[in-house]
Amino acid sequence: MKDLKKFKRILIGLKNKSPLPLLFENGYTPESIKKEIIETFSTYFEDKTILDEIAVKYLVPDWINLMRISIIYPNIERDLLLVLNNYKTAKKINKERTIEILASLSPMHIEAGNKFWSFLNLEIDKKELELDEFAQTSLKDISNIIEGISKTLYLEQLMINRVLRNKNFEIQKVIELKLGNVIDELINNSNSPNLFKTVPDNIKFSDWRNISAHHNYSVKKELIHCEYGTGEKKKKIILKREELYEKLEQCMRSTEILNLAHKIFGYDNMNEFKSFTKPNDMEAREEIDFLTISSGIMSQGFEIINLEYKNIPKAILTLKDLTNGDAKMRGIHSSQFLTNLWIITRKPHLEIRYIKQNGEPYLISKCDSEMCELVSSGKKKLTELAEKVEFELIKNSG
């Protein structure tokens, strides 16, 4: 289990916080879950062929997240559609420019994604904190969300908005803009200004960033006093504990909407990006691939029990069935994740150990990495991988 240590948070979340185990307990099948994912995203995707192709491969974590945030933040679907339609309209106005914007910002999105995982890993439960510590931690979170995680999304929205307004611009010069200028332009020109400020106080996200960065706050008699602006324009807002937390949630809500719209549009136009994407030295954290892969595996009715690959010449992934389907067919089904195992581990020899729902080891699937690499790159089909897999029935299995 030591090789799973860094992914423990992901596996616990999938098992205890995602709806997938409960769905399987209530009679759902991998096929019906895929259907649910497609139905959820059909409103947002134009290319239904791509949607069908990537539903299980990429969209499971986004499907789980969309269900989660739809409960936490009412009416989020409306704002998501609004932002997504901006991308689509920009593409109609200037397809090449729109795709170029997203491709150019790709390294920055990867970096922001890496910072997001650090944000999650360092997140603490604020319920029991004293008010001083609560204020400091919450404002620091707001700053991290706005500056570290979301700034690239704001830059992308600004450029998309300029395409909508037929404005000429250089991508690099927009990237170099100060956060305050970016937020001001979005509030003044976009059709969703409330995604860049808190309401009903109308305080810009850039002002919240400054409050935190410059420590322009104090705690007095169970209230949090925050100052923002400069000179004669300096203003003050006084908040209760729960009101400051609400501001933090508004910042996170905006990030969730902008990030989902960005990802959906990117997936929907993934074939268009091939001619624009250039190699870069920015690598995504392993957790990002693992979340996508492990949630896809669970959507097919398998729970990851163990993963071994460090300090050994091969990678071994142990999967337990969440369904009571035919063991032989389910065991063979589990072999399709050999490619995923290669993506995670990059080992030359790969092995999946399938365990039936009752805990009985049943089947081992083995192959070398060459075919998995070809399937992963799209040069070979998954059906061709099946021809190279070696199956071994575990002795004493029924």
Side-chain angles (χ1 to χ4, degrees):
M1 292 291 289
K2 61 182 180 179
D3 292 350
L4 276 176
K5 185 177 180 180
K6 72 183 301 180
F7 306 129
K8 186 177 179 181
R9 178 191 289 265
I10 295 171
L11 294 178
I12 291 174
L14 282 173
K15 185 174 182 179
N16 300 327
K17 296 181 180 180
S18 87
L20 291 170
L22 185 62
L23 291 174
F24 285 115
E25 286 178 17
N26 285 276
Y28 274 73
T29 64
E31 293 75 21
S32 59
I33 286 177
K34 179 180 179 179
K35 183 179 178 181
E36 291 282 347
I37 295 170
I38 291 172
E39 287 182 357
T40 298
F41 284 102
S42 61
T43 305
Y44 308 111
F45 273 76
E46 292 184 333
D47 193 326
K48 307 303 182 187
T49 302
I50 285 182
L51 174 57
D52 183 77
E53 178 186 334
I54 69 171
V56 171
K57 188 176 182 180
Y58 296 131
L59 291 179
V60 180
D62 295 311
W63 177 63
I64 294 171
N65 192 41
L66 182 56
M67 287 191 291
R68 178 186 65 83
I69 61 178
S70 296
I71 296 171
I72 299 173
Y73 310 120
N75 301 318
I76 199 167
E77 295 91 345
R78 177 196 60 202
D79 290 331
L80 177 57
L81 274 173
L82 185 65
V83 176
L84 190 55
N85 284 335
N86 289 340
Y87 282 104
K88 294 176 181 178
T89 304
K91 182 185 173 185
K92 290 177 182 177
I93 294 172
N94 192 332
K95 176 181 174 180
E96 183 171 306
R97 188 64 159 155
T98 301
I99 299 300
E100 182 188 9
I101 289 167
L102 271 72
S104 298
L105 291 176
S106 179
M108 295 176 65
H109 280 298
I110 293 173
E111 183 179 0
N114 292 344
K115 289 177 179 177
F116 178 69
W117 276 100
S118 296
F119 174 78
L120 284 182
N121 290 333
L122 295 172
E123 177 67 358
I124 62 172
D125 188 347
K126 302 178 181 64
K127 292 178 182 177
E128 303 302 323
L129 293 178
E130 295 294 331
L131 187 58
D132 290 84
E133 286 73 27
F134 173 83
Q136 183 181 35
T137 304
S138 297
L139 285 166
K140 184 178 179 182
D141 282 354
I142 288 174
S143 179
N144 286 337
I145 291 168
I146 292 170
E147 182 79 41
I149 299 171
S150 305
K151 186 177 180 181
T152 306
L153 293 167
Y154 305 149
L155 291 170
E156 188 166 289
Q157 289 303 308
L158 179 56
M159 289 187 242
I160 292 296
N161 183 263
R162 287 188 180 182
V163 172
L164 295 176
R165 292 185 288 136
N166 292 304
K167 296 286 185 179
N168 293 321
F169 61 91
E170 293 180 26
I171 290 176
Q172 187 56 41
K173 286 188 176 181
V174 174
I175 290 173
E176 294 169 359
L177 287 173
K178 292 182 178 180
L179 178 65
N181 294 334
V182 174
I183 296 297
D184 282 344
E185 186 170 336
L186 285 167
I187 289 173
N188 292 331
N189 295 286
S190 78
N191 57 4
S192 50
N194 287 348
L195 291 178
F196 310 103
K197 61 184 179 179
T198 54
V199 291
D201 49 69
N202 292 322
I203 300 178
K204 298 179 292 186
F205 283 174
S206 50
D207 285 328
W208 282 110
R209 189 279 313 269
N210 291 338
I211 290 170
S212 174
H214 302 301
H215 299 276
N216 292 333
Y217 66 93
S218 59
V219 176
K220 303 173 184 177
K221 296 182 180 180
E222 299 303 310
L223 294 172
I224 304 160
H225 296 245
C226 300
E227 290 187 348
Y228 60 99
T230 58
E232 295 180 355
K233 295 183 178 180
K234 184 174 284 188
K235 297 179 182 179
K236 179 182 287 187
I237 182 172
I238 301 174
L239 303 165
K240 296 178 182 177
R241 182 187 186 108
E242 59 271 19
E243 290 172 330
L244 177 57
Y245 189 75
E246 183 185 341
K247 305 306 175 187
L248 172 58
E249 286 200 315
Q250 286 188 36
C251 294
M252 199 64 225
R253 179 184 185 275
S254 172
T255 299
E256 297 277 17
I257 292 168
L258 298 178
N259 188 51
L260 267 173
H262 159 80
K263 291 176 75 174
I264 290 170
F265 182 77
Y267 283 137
D268 204 14
N269 295 275
M270 59 193 304
N271 294 330
E272 308 282 355
F273 283 104
K274 292 178 180 177
S275 59
F276 280 89
T277 305
K278 299 177 182 178
N280 66 81
D281 57 1
M282 179 58 64
E283 293 185 359
R285 287 180 59 152
E286 290 177 309
E287 291 94 331
I288 296 174
D289 274 342
F290 188 81
L291 173 61
T292 302
I293 288 169
S294 59
S295 55
I297 288 173
M298 184 169 275
S299 78
Q300 294 303 289
F302 302 99
E303 178 185 354
I304 294 177
I305 301 299
N306 197 14
L307 173 62
E308 302 171 68
Y309 66 98
K310 294 181 179 177
N311 303 316
I312 58 174
K314 63 181 178 179
I316 304 170
L317 178 65
T318 303
L319 302 177
K320 183 180 178 181
D321 208 332
L322 295 173
T323 79
N324 59 359
D326 178 78
K328 181 179 178 181
M329 297 304 298
R330 292 290 292 160
I332 294 172
H333 185 181
S334 71
S335 70
Q336 70 175 287
F337 300 116
L338 285 162
T339 298
N340 302 99
L341 181 57
W342 176 80
I343 292 171
I344 297 170
T345 67
R346 305 290 167 155
K347 286 291 185 176
H349 307 292
L350 307 155
E351 183 175 304
I352 288 181
R353 297 180 180 179
Y354 166 75
I355 299 174
K356 295 195 292 186
Q357 187 184 44
N358 63 7
E360 179 186 346
Y362 183 82
L363 188 70
I364 298 175
S365 309
K366 304 176 185 179
C367 77
D368 294 332
S369 62
E370 287 82 2
M371 182 58 73
C372 292
E373 189 172 357
L374 291 171
V375 172
S376 177
S377 65
K379 295 177 181 177
K380 294 287 185 180
K381 295 181 180 179
L382 191 60
T383 52
E384 295 177 88
L385 171 66
E387 298 173 2
K388 299 293 183 179
V389 176
E390 176 187 343
F391 294 102
E392 177 185 332
L393 194 65
I394 298 175
K395 292 180 180 180
N396 301 320
S397 60

